[in-house]
Amino acid sequence: MIHEVDEALRAMFRTEALAGGAQVSVVFDAPTRDWAAKVNAPTVNLYLYDIREDMRRRERGLLNEYDERGTIVARRRPPRYFKLSYLITAWTRRPEDEHRLLSSLLSCLLRYEALPAERLTGTLAELGVPVPMTIALPPPEDRSFADVWSALGGELKPSLDLVVSVPVTESPVYPAGPEVGEEGLSVGLSDVAADARTPANRPSGPGDLPVYGTKRTAVSSQVSEEQPE
C-alpha cells in the first residue's frame, strides 16, 4: 500500500511537475547530513517521516458482502484511512534552482485534492475509492518540522509537507447468518410428555405446574368415600 503511493507520486512528478527535466531524480531517502553530502545531481526527495491513522475518516458499522444472487454472505468493517506524511525537498547546487523545483512541485500538487486515478496501481486501483491528499498545511501541535530536521541530524531546509490518506481494507470478516425467507423461521416445541420429566414415585399435587412446551394431559381424579358398615 505504501509503495503504491510512492510509485503514484513518482509518476505524477516525473510526467507533470518535472516534465522536460529528465536529469532530476526522485528518491525516498532520509535526507541526513551524510546523504546530502553525496548528492551530486538535481534531486527531489520525498521522505516518509510519519504514519498515523486519520481518525476523522473512521466510520462505524459494518459493510455487507454479496454473492452472485445478491444475498448477503458476510460483513466486514469499513476501510480505515492512514495518513502518510512526506517531507518534500529539492537538492541542487543553487538555492534559486531549488526554489524553482519546489514551486513546480507545489503547482502540480495544488491541481488535485486526491491522487489521480490514472496514477494508481495494484490494490489502490482495485479499490476504486479516492486517495485524498493535502499539501503545505500547518503541522499539528505535537510535531514541528524543526524537530524532524533535528532527528535527521541535518540543517533546516525549505520543504513541502504532503499528507496522503490511504484506505486500508484489511479487517476481520464476519459470516452472515442463514437467509430468512418469506415464510419466516419455524420454531419447534418439545413433544415430551410431562410425566417423562417428573419422577414416577412423586405424588402429584396442587403445586405441580405444567412444563412449557409439553402437551397437557387430561388428569381425572375420582374420590370415593366408603361408609363403614
Side-chain angles (χ1 to χ4, degrees):
M1 171 264 295
I2 297 177
H3 65 283
E4 295 170 353
V5 175
D6 292 345
E7 292 303 320
L9 292 172
R10 189 200 300 270
M12 183 173 64
F13 285 170
R14 283 182 172 174
T15 57
E16 298 184 34
L18 306 176
Q23 71 277 12
V24 180
S25 302
V26 179
V27 299
F28 298 88
D29 300 323
T32 61
R33 189 185 300 272
D34 294 338
W35 177 86
K38 300 176 182 179
V39 176
N40 53 13
T43 303
V44 170
N45 191 321
L46 286 78
Y47 173 56
L48 177 62
Y49 69 92
D50 190 62
I51 304 173
R52 63 181 66 189
E53 185 175 359
D54 190 349
M55 299 300 297
R56 297 173 302 175
R57 299 182 184 276
R58 178 180 284 196
E59 299 179 10
R60 302 295 180 183
L62 297 173
L63 300 179
N64 297 329
E65 292 187 358
Y66 301 88
D67 59 11
E68 62 280 359
R69 300 180 302 166
T71 304
I72 299 176
V73 295
R75 295 179 175 88
R76 64 169 59 245
R77 295 176 181 173
R80 295 169 63 180
Y81 284 78
F82 289 82
K83 297 190 295 184
L84 309 182
S85 299
Y86 291 87
L87 185 71
I88 303 179
T89 51
W91 301 78
T92 65
R93 295 181 180 275
R94 302 173 57 209
E96 295 86 348
D97 294 334
E98 294 180 354
H99 297 171
R100 291 190 183 92
L101 281 176
L102 288 177
S103 178
S104 179
L105 295 171
L106 179 60
S107 298
C108 174
L109 292 169
L110 288 176
R111 299 184 195 129
Y112 304 99
E113 294 185 354
L115 285 176
E118 63 273 13
R119 305 293 182 194
L120 302 180
T121 58
T123 305
L124 293 180
E126 295 174 359
L127 287 178
V129 298
V131 183
M133 61 181 182
T134 58
I135 183 65
L137 293 181
E141 296 180 358
D142 61 342
R143 185 178 68 233
S144 67
F145 297 131
D147 295 337
V148 176
W149 285 108
S150 298
L152 293 172
E155 298 179 358
L156 189 62
K157 189 179 181 67
S159 61
L160 298 174
D161 187 48
L162 174 65
V163 179
V164 182
S165 294
V166 186
V168 178
T169 58
E170 280 74 8
S171 67
V173 178
Y174 306 98
E179 183 179 0
V180 179
E182 296 180 356
E183 66 279 2
L185 293 176
S186 60
V187 179
L189 300 177
S190 174
D191 197 26
V192 180
D195 56 354
R197 301 187 181 184
T198 305
N201 59 352
R202 176 186 170 186
S204 60
D208 292 337
L209 298 177
V211 179
Y212 179 77
T214 61
K215 293 183 179 180
R216 297 189 61 180
T217 57
V219 179
S220 59
S221 60
Q222 181 177 358
V223 178
S224 61
E225 297 181 357
E226 296 183 359
Q227 298 294 335
E229 294 182 356

